[in-house]
Amino acid sequence: TTGGAFYNPTTNQFPASYTGQYFFCDYDGGWIHLLNPATQTATVFATGITRPVNLKVDAQGDLFYLARGASNNTGSVTEIKFSNAPIIGTGTGVQGSYFNNETLTGTPTLVRTDPTIDFSFGAGSPAPSIHNDGFSARWLGTVQAQFTETYTFHTISDDGVRLWVNGQLLVDNWTIHSPVENTGSIALVAGKKYSFRMEYFDNTGGATAELMWSSPSTPEQPIPKSQLYPHQSITYQAESATLHGALAKHANAGYTGTGYADYQNASGDYVEWSVNEDVTTPEELDFRYANGASNRPLQLMVDGKVVTAKLAFGPTGSWAKWGTVSIFLTLSAGPHKIRLTAIGSSGPNIDSLTVR
């Protein structure tokens, strides 16, 4: 490691977050790193620099480095300019699912793509098919950061709201209240997409649901459509999954693929799906099934670990009438095995798994 300099200029050319930090370079490595004295952590600032030997910050906030030349008594001084242009995405908005209850349960009455989450419904509702009071909504998608900075996410809600970004719960105010702002912060990298989920319910009276962000380079504002991408649901058919004991059949009507999985034994049979996640994200797992007249619970395992020992699959009225059982959990980026195992009362007929 060769020379270095603290960033304490009279005028800042770099974001204010750089003030007080220490730039240092390495001759052999050809890089410049940035040290935060408060946390004693260093991060990469620049690479691909040939033989840097020293750094200087002038009073105007410009950063320069001195590099040794290929021969003796030669060298050069180069100014590093900070480019803080935002990354403009190509997003189209997020998936909004709306329910005519306050608990986000059952099949959504309305599913649509919302360009932003910036709603003041007043005494009304999101759409004619949704009640004016006693409704809920869930928005799923990914958000793309414009800068490498710590972002603060702001919700304004009347009534309850919860917000997850990259699997982290940032806001949790699931109560009945008048319009109130809640915030939570997380460090993001420019251009990278992060999963998010926002849930909301309205009790009675006015209804407001707004999601905004801010950062050192971003004034508080609604997250623009260009940075929001809708969540893509994927359906996995049971008859195409790994079946142990269970058989692929197609005798009963109403299935969605080429058949369904029929459990044969009281215990031990299972259906196992292989799924893959692009990013770490909270997911809704929907199991479509048919059952006769009694509850037939199954054990749910993810990657060999029991998530629910007895997931209830209640009667649907007939083996040709199909219902849905849903469960929420966070899946990390990468491949996963999701298994439903019979635990004593055989199982329902399983049509599919949809990951939302």
Side-chain angles (χ1 to χ4, degrees):
T1 300
T2 49
F6 281 97
Y7 193 77
N8 287 305
T10 304
T11 303
N12 279 357
Q13 298 295 338
F14 289 8
S17 58
Y18 283 82
T19 301
Q21 301 203 41
Y22 183 74
F23 289 98
F24 63 100
C25 56
D26 185 88
Y27 180 89
D28 294 321
W31 48 251
I32 298 173
H33 284 190
L34 188 63
L35 175 69
N36 186 329
T39 62
Q40 292 296 298
T41 56
T43 56
V44 175
F45 178 77
T47 58
I49 300 171
T50 303
R51 296 182 292 272
V53 296
N54 206 356
L55 293 161
K56 180 177 176 59
V57 177
D58 68 11
Q60 286 72 45
D62 298 311
L63 176 66
F64 299 85
Y65 71 86
L66 172 66
R68 182 181 180 274
S71 58
N72 291 335
N73 302 318
T74 63
S76 62
V77 175
T78 303
E79 180 182 2
I80 297 177
K81 291 185 177 294
F82 188 87
S83 175
N84 204 29
I87 300 295
I88 305 300
T90 58
T92 58
V94 294
Q95 176 184 294
S97 299
Y98 296 84
F99 303 78
N100 275 321
N101 57 62
E102 297 180 28
T103 55
L104 299 160
T105 53
T107 301
T109 302
L110 172 66
V111 178
R112 69 187 187 190
T113 298
D114 289 323
T116 61
I117 305 174
D118 186 21
F119 299 110
S120 181
F121 302 117
S125 76
S129 60
I130 304 300
H131 300 158
N132 289 347
D133 291 314
F135 68 89
S136 55
R138 178 184 295 116
W139 292 276
L140 289 172
T142 54
V143 59
Q144 184 180 29
Q146 294 185 309
F147 303 96
T148 300
E149 294 176 341
T150 295
Y151 278 79
T152 298
F153 287 82
H154 309 251
T155 62
I156 298 178
S157 67
D158 175 0
D159 291 289
V161 65
R162 294 186 289 236
L163 174 67
W164 292 260
V165 176
N166 199 33
Q168 297 183 36
L169 181 61
L170 299 185
V171 171
D172 186 8
N173 188 358
W174 203 246
T175 63
I176 297 172
H177 54 255
S178 57
V180 65
E181 181 174 357
N182 296 105
T183 63
S185 297
I186 185 172
L188 304 180
V189 175
K192 187 174 180 179
K193 296 175 184 175
Y194 298 86
S195 66
F196 87 93
R197 179 171 104 216
M198 178 170 162
E199 297 179 343
Y200 164 79
F201 79 86
D202 171 61
N203 180 242
T204 60
T208 300
E210 299 178 13
L211 175 62
M212 296 171 287
W213 67 0
S214 63
S215 76
S217 301
T218 309
E220 184 176 337
Q221 60 183 274
I223 302 175
K225 180 179 73 171
S226 63
Q227 308 310 118
L228 296 174
Y229 299 80
H231 184 72
Q232 301 298 317
S233 298
I234 302 177
T235 296
Y236 302 87
Q237 296 297 327
E239 69 275 14
S240 301
T242 299
L243 304 181
H244 177 82
L247 299 177
K249 293 189 176 182
H250 53 269
N252 299 316
Y255 53 84
T256 57
T258 60
Y260 51 86
D262 186 347
Y263 289 81
Q264 301 296 296
N265 301 293
S267 298
D269 288 6
Y270 64 75
V271 180
E272 183 177 86
W273 295 270
S274 297
V275 306
N276 190 72
E277 291 289 301
D278 293 332
V279 296
T280 299
T281 182
E283 295 282 20
E284 175 182 343
L285 306 185
D286 292 343
F287 300 100
R288 190 171 188 266
Y289 76 100
N291 198 356
S294 63
N295 181 35
R296 296 181 180 226
L298 300 172
Q299 180 193 75
L300 172 62
M301 298 180 69
V302 176
D303 300 329
K305 296 181 180 179
V306 176
V307 174
T308 303
K310 294 180 69 174
L311 183 61
F313 286 83
T316 58
S318 79
W319 292 99
K321 185 176 181 180
W322 301 83
T324 302
V325 167
S326 300
I327 188 168
F328 293 91
L329 51 84
T330 295
L331 295 177
S332 60
H336 298 278
K337 300 288 187 182
I338 299 175
R339 179 185 294 188
L340 290 176
T341 304
I343 52 174
S345 56
S346 191
N349 290 341
I350 301 293
D351 181 42
S352 63
L353 161 65
T354 298
V355 181
R356 302 186 186 280

